[in-house]
Amino acid sequence: MSVASLRKRVEGLLALADVRIGGDRPWDIQVEDDEFYARVIAQGSLGLGETYMDGSWHAASLDGMLVRLLRAHVDEQVHGWAAILDGLRAHLINLQSHRRSFTVGERHYDLGNDLYRAMLGKRLVYSCGYWRDRDGRPLPDLDSAQEAKLDLVCRKLGLKPGMRVLDIGSGWGEALKFAAERYGIVGVGVTVSREQADFARELCQGLPIEFRLQDYRDLSGDHADERFDRIFSLGMFEHVGYKNYATYFDVALRCLDRDSDDGGLFLLHTIGGNKSVTHTDPWIAKYIFPNSMLPSAQQIAEQVEGRFVIEDWHNFSADYDLTLQAWRDNVEAAWSQLDARYDERFRRMWRFYLAASMATFRSRHAQLWQVVLSPEGVPGGYVAPR
């Protein structure tokens, strides 16, 4: 197919979203290399992301352009070979098996604490902030929103001094640190990132918190007799995979101290999709979160059934767009001070990642859920804080 024919086809797809090639609006795109047309048609989202990384095109408002594509469902019009292969692989093998569980830690979370400290702000919390206070008033900045989110989690779980708390996917340790300092808990955190585990141990020196470099499935191994009054998991469930959801919830149920007065609570904080899928976008899988996928409400509910009572299901997806914008502002301001290993192609990759994530939430194609679960139902009912 000629370049002219390919361009005409791409122009037709973009027109569905009122995006023009060579236009002068912020969401219009400027094409620098004609290879862009063939790769987008052949590879879909993978080709779109890679050609942006290669400098083949740009847009003044990258997130503005991408949200228009998503709102017009242009992404559903082009399915490249990578998406087909990823779907087949997800069907044939367990992409999130125990053997593969540390891959995302090594390839994403171990990129460098300097990058994440620059991007995430005062608190290294790599999940959605809660951009309102206890009275529902808007908060001014990222650090306040992350503190509000951590406090919301603690309040939803009803944390009290002396409670034993498990954090599945503990990141850099900020959530358990907050819970220990503000609510007096004793905690254990598990992560598949060596960089995160080392940082968290140093951050929480002197606090009654232990961090382990460990897959969640091993919580039923050497520490099989451990029980916790409360469990939370913030932004980790996206790495579990639909073939492992039953195991994940079984582990959480087994780790709760069901003999306590209230039987325990588990808070699941996760990004979710509007449709049930088995794998993630090909570009995201290759460059950002290998072996990841977003759960649907149906997939969560099916696995919770027979294991937990759903006490509360809270959606505050619009807050993720605000969080991502703050992360983008932080990292853009810090590029010149970061290590040279974050070269120009990496920077374009990271910009595309953050912009695509903003567009996904702004278009409401993805949600942010906090789900509170109890093994037997809270006696007298559960009143959900906001």
Side-chain angles (χ1 to χ4, degrees):
M1 188 177 292
S2 67
V3 171
S5 298
L6 289 167
R7 172 169 175 149
K8 184 176 181 180
R9 187 173 176 188
V10 172
E11 285 177 332
L13 290 168
L14 294 177
L16 298 173
D18 189 27
V19 175
R20 301 171 191 157
I21 297 173
D24 57 5
R25 300 167 300 178
W27 59 86
D28 288 329
I29 70 170
Q30 314 304 320
V31 176
E32 309 292 344
D33 188 335
D34 286 344
E35 184 184 12
F36 163 77
Y37 304 112
R39 290 180 64 184
V40 166
I41 294 300
Q43 300 175 326
S45 65
L46 179 64
L48 184 69
E50 285 189 337
T51 52
Y52 181 80
M53 291 166 60
D54 294 341
S56 298
W57 64 275
H58 64 274
S61 175
L62 182 57
D63 54 308
M65 185 275 289
L66 292 173
V67 76
R68 284 176 171 269
L69 297 186
L70 290 177
R71 284 175 175 163
H73 302 281
V74 175
D75 57 310
E76 299 172 13
Q77 303 296 317
V78 182
H79 298 286
W81 54 263
I84 297 172
L85 290 178
D86 284 353
L88 182 61
R89 288 176 65 240
H91 177 72
L92 295 175
I93 63 177
N94 184 352
L95 296 176
Q96 300 84 11
S97 66
H98 191 287
R99 181 176 62 86
R100 295 169 176 268
S101 63
F102 285 81
T103 301
V104 70
E106 294 164 356
R107 287 179 51 187
H108 187 81
Y109 296 106
D110 289 347
L111 278 172
N113 287 339
D114 57 340
L115 172 65
Y116 291 114
R117 293 187 79 164
M119 183 174 80
L120 300 180
K122 177 182 177 181
R123 294 187 182 277
L124 272 76
V125 179
Y126 200 8
S127 55
C128 181
Y130 190 59
W131 289 78
R132 68 214 68 178
D133 64 17
R134 294 190 183 199
D135 297 320
R137 293 171 299 199
L139 292 172
D141 55 40
L142 175 65
D143 294 334
S144 300
Q146 291 295 11
E147 183 169 324
K149 187 267 297 296
L150 296 178
D151 191 59
L152 179 68
V153 169
C154 294
R155 289 187 290 122
K156 285 183 176 180
L157 290 173
L159 297 188
K160 297 177 182 177
M163 280 186 170
R164 283 180 52 79
V165 177
L166 171 65
D167 182 353
I168 303 177
S170 52
W172 288 274
E174 292 281 1
L176 280 177
K177 179 176 183 286
F178 182 91
E181 292 178 339
R182 299 287 183 91
Y183 288 85
I185 61 93
V186 176
V188 172
V190 297
T191 176
V192 293
S193 165
R194 188 175 301 278
E195 290 284 334
Q196 288 183 337
D198 290 344
F199 185 96
R201 291 179 188 125
E202 184 175 347
L203 177 73
C204 297
Q205 282 185 359
L207 293 173
I209 305 172
E210 175 191 358
F211 291 98
R212 302 172 188 163
L213 184 64
Q214 183 181 58
D215 181 74
Y216 69 93
R217 282 163 283 215
D218 293 330
L219 286 164
S220 58
D222 295 340
H223 303 275
D225 295 330
E226 279 190 308
R227 296 293 183 270
F228 298 87
D229 301 294
R230 300 289 189 266
I231 301 174
F232 60 77
S233 184
L234 311 181
M236 175 271 178
F237 193 64
E238 300 89 336
H239 304 301
V240 172
Y242 77 107
K243 291 186 176 182
N244 307 295
Y245 288 165
T247 299
Y248 176 89
F249 285 113
D250 280 341
V251 168
L253 186 62
R254 189 162 51 245
C255 286
L256 272 178
D257 184 1
R258 299 171 67 179
D259 295 328
S260 62
D261 292 341
D262 58 11
L265 290 174
F266 171 34
L267 185 145
L268 176 67
H269 172 117
T270 183
I271 301 170
N274 296 336
K275 298 179 182 178
S276 296
V277 299
T278 59
H279 57 285
T280 194
D281 172 83
W283 186 86
I284 289 290
K286 183 174 181 179
Y287 290 100
I288 306 298
F289 295 118
N291 305 326
S292 64
M293 61 158 284
L294 300 185
S296 68
Q298 178 183 348
Q299 288 169 328
I300 292 174
E302 284 180 344
Q303 298 304 326
V304 165
E305 184 175 335
R307 294 181 172 91
F308 290 97
V309 173
I310 299 175
E311 300 286 0
D312 184 47
W313 196 306
H314 184 187
N315 185 340
F316 51 99
S317 308
D319 289 29
Y320 224 138
D321 187 14
L322 296 173
T323 303
L324 287 155
Q325 290 180 50
W327 289 349
R328 177 185 59 186
D329 292 345
N330 284 348
V331 77
E332 289 291 343
W335 280 128
S336 61
Q337 285 79 47
L338 292 177
D339 192 278
R341 71 182 184 280
Y342 305 117
D343 60 16
E344 184 58 30
R345 194 167 192 267
F346 180 94
R347 293 180 185 185
R348 293 181 68 85
M349 176 191 78
W350 209 252
R351 287 170 181 148
F352 192 86
Y353 154 52
L354 293 178
S357 299
M358 289 175 217
T360 302
F361 285 102
R362 201 175 302 161
S363 65
R364 299 308 303 273
H365 281 209
Q367 312 304 321
L368 188 284
W369 297 320
Q370 282 192 353
V371 187
V372 178
L373 307 169
S374 67
E376 303 290 345
V378 173
Y382 176 83
V383 179
R386 291 290 186 267

